[in-house]
Amino acid sequence: MRIDEFAKPMNDQLPFDVVDDVCVYMRNDPMFYRKSLFPAIMKMKDSYDRGETPSESSCLESSCTEAMTSYCKKFKLGSPENIFKPEDKQLIMSKIYGEEMKMIKDGAY
């Protein structure tokens, strides 16, 4: 391995989409879902029930940040800064927000 390969972010080398994989992790890891994602979704639902438009960042940012860290720790990938690009957190929040808001509007929660 060359020295410049150590400084290169690892996310260019992963054979899968980390954004999609983290979203799947957030929903399928029972402890993460119960402790972090579900409360964030309920915060979105409460805001929607009050007639407000839930804020993507205020409802999901802390849960997504925690998911990125937890994901890297669980799968021994190292630091989240080496795996995720700066825009990945926004992509994760947008994906979760869009899918969950549809379910909230459809009455699933």
Side-chain angles (χ1 to χ4, degrees):
M1 190 169 232
R2 296 186 331 248
I3 191 74
D4 65 332
E5 291 174 341
F6 285 105
K8 208 175 195 182
M10 192 171 156
N11 59 1
D12 293 335
Q13 301 170 5
L14 295 175
F16 54 88
D17 184 4
V18 292
V19 171
D20 287 339
D21 207 42
V22 168
C23 291
V24 169
Y25 166 77
M26 291 172 77
R27 288 193 175 90
N28 291 332
D29 184 89
M31 291 306 292
F32 182 83
Y33 182 82
R34 187 174 327 140
K35 290 186 175 198
S36 187
L37 184 59
F38 187 71
I41 294 169
M42 289 298 101
K43 188 175 179 182
M44 290 169 51
K45 182 188 181 322
D46 292 343
S47 181
Y48 180 78
D49 289 346
R50 288 191 304 267
E52 303 167 358
T53 302
S55 168
E56 186 177 297
S57 61
S58 70
C59 293
L60 293 171
E61 186 168 14
S62 65
S63 182
C64 289
T65 302
E66 185 181 333
M68 292 163 67
T69 303
S70 177
Y71 174 83
C72 288
K73 184 176 179 180
K74 181 172 185 166
F75 297 108
K76 298 179 174 92
L77 298 173
S79 173
E81 292 81 23
N82 294 335
I83 302 300
F84 297 100
K85 297 175 189 164
E87 65 271 9
D88 285 347
K89 183 172 23 172
Q90 183 59 46
L91 292 171
I92 294 166
M93 284 191 300
S94 296
K95 184 174 177 79
I96 296 290
Y97 182 84
E99 293 169 358
E100 296 302 331
M101 277 307 295
K102 181 180 181 334
M103 291 176 35
I104 289 170
K105 289 177 182 177
D106 291 345
Y109 291 106

